[in-house]
Structures are given as structure tokens and as C-alpha cells.
Amino acid sequence: PDGCYPGLTTAEGCNALSHLTSGAANTGLGWYALFGTSTGSSNTGVGAGALVLNNSDSNTAVGTAALLLNTAGTGNSALGTSAMVNNDNGSNNTAVGSFALQNNINGSDIIAVGAEAGTNPDLITNNVYIGDPGFAGDENVISIGGVAASGTPYELTFIGGIYNADVTTDALPVYIDGDGHLGTNPVVP
């Protein structure tokens, strides 16, 4: 309902923020947005079911079912339909794109950009995915289009600022293996 709520809170939509007790600075816009939040603070849920089970702090979800099942995760940002929909207690994640990080449950410090990016259900921590679903057990991985979420392999790669750029005298050549993995030390199998 319209109106000025205590604790810097704004709610609009059927059952949006309807369980709020002591939480402050929350905004719930949409059907059941931030429905379960009672003591959580500084959350923003925009879209039907955005952050519906949330009761933690500092999450932002924009899109239908974005961060839908989040209960204890903090510091997450999800933008897109069903972005981080299954996240439960993973924290400090960023998902941009429809279904990005949709299967993440407790992985933390993960960035996924692109539709269905970072969708492998067993990602661990500190990963960056751009247009790539990732692999089970990934930890401290940066993957840019290694595996296309669409299933159609990428054919060309362009990265500006490399060609004709000066490097220091301790520079090493970069090798690429058959899987697209980059490195400076070739290992003979």
C-alpha cells in the first residue's frame, strides 16, 4: 500500500515487505517482493518475487524471481529475470543477465555477466564469468566465453589495447592450449 513507512522503508505490491518488523532502509516493489524480510536492512527488491525469502542485509534484486530463494546471503546484486534465483547464503555476488548465476546456492565473490553466465551449480568462490557458465569446482577462475551458454562455440576474440602495446623487459610469451586456457609456462603432457 502507498504511504510513508517507518525506518526509511518503501513497499508497493501485493504482500511486498509484509513481514517487516525492525529492518530499515528496504524497498520492495512488486508481488511478494521482500516478503520474508523482517529484520533485514538495506535491501531493494524490484519485480514479482524478488528477494521473496530474504531476511539478510544489503541485497539488490531487479527482475522477476531475482534472488528469489536468498535467505542469508548478503551484499548480492542480481539484475535480470531469475538472476541468482537459487542463491541461499552466497554473499558478495554480482549477476547481470537473465538466469545469470541461477544455480548458485552458497558460492561467494562471483561475478557473472550475460544470459546464463555462471550457471554451473558447483562454483566455489572468487570467479568471474563473462558469457560462460563455468565448471564445477571453479575457484579463482576468470573465464570469458570459454564455453558459450548458447551451445554454439565462439569463433573470434577481439581484445583492445594489446596489439603494439609496450611491455616491460620481464614480459613472457603467452600460450594457449586446446581448451583455450592461457598461460606462460608450457607443460608437456
Side-chain angles (χ1 to χ4, degrees):
D2 292 319
C4 184
Y5 295 92
L8 309 170
T9 297
T10 303
E12 185 66 46
C14 182
N15 289 312
L17 274 165
S18 65
H19 286 102
L20 188 66
T21 56
S22 62
N26 292 295
T27 301
L29 304 174
W31 180 85
Y32 280 81
L34 286 165
F35 171 76
T37 300
S38 60
T39 59
S41 295
S42 303
N43 296 291
T44 301
V46 178
L51 281 163
V52 70
L53 298 180
N54 183 70
N55 201 28
S56 59
D57 299 329
S58 304
N59 293 293
T60 301
V62 178
T64 300
L67 276 165
L68 179 83
L69 301 178
N70 188 71
T71 59
T74 61
N76 294 300
S77 297
L79 172 61
T81 300
S82 296
M84 291 190 0
V85 65
N86 291 304
N87 190 77
D88 178 31
N89 58 8
S91 295
N92 303 316
N93 297 300
T94 301
V96 179
S98 296
F99 304 100
L101 274 176
Q102 73 173 346
N103 296 315
N104 185 59
I105 296 174
N106 57 17
S108 294
D109 302 306
I110 301 171
I111 298 169
V113 178
E116 299 182 31
T119 54
N120 189 291
D122 297 315
L123 305 176
I124 299 178
T125 187
N126 197 35
N127 300 310
V128 177
Y129 302 101
I130 299 175
D132 188 292
F135 291 97
D138 278 358
E139 187 170 10
N140 303 317
V141 170
I142 297 173
S143 187
I144 302 172
V147 176
S150 67
T152 303
Y154 296 108
E155 295 180 8
L156 299 170
T157 302
F158 299 92
I159 301 174
I162 295 175
Y163 183 75
N164 269 344
D166 293 333
V167 295
T168 62
T169 56
D170 63 348
L172 297 171
V174 174
Y175 300 94
I176 304 170
D177 68 16
D179 292 331
H181 180 231
L182 301 175
T184 57
N185 299 319
V187 177
V188 178

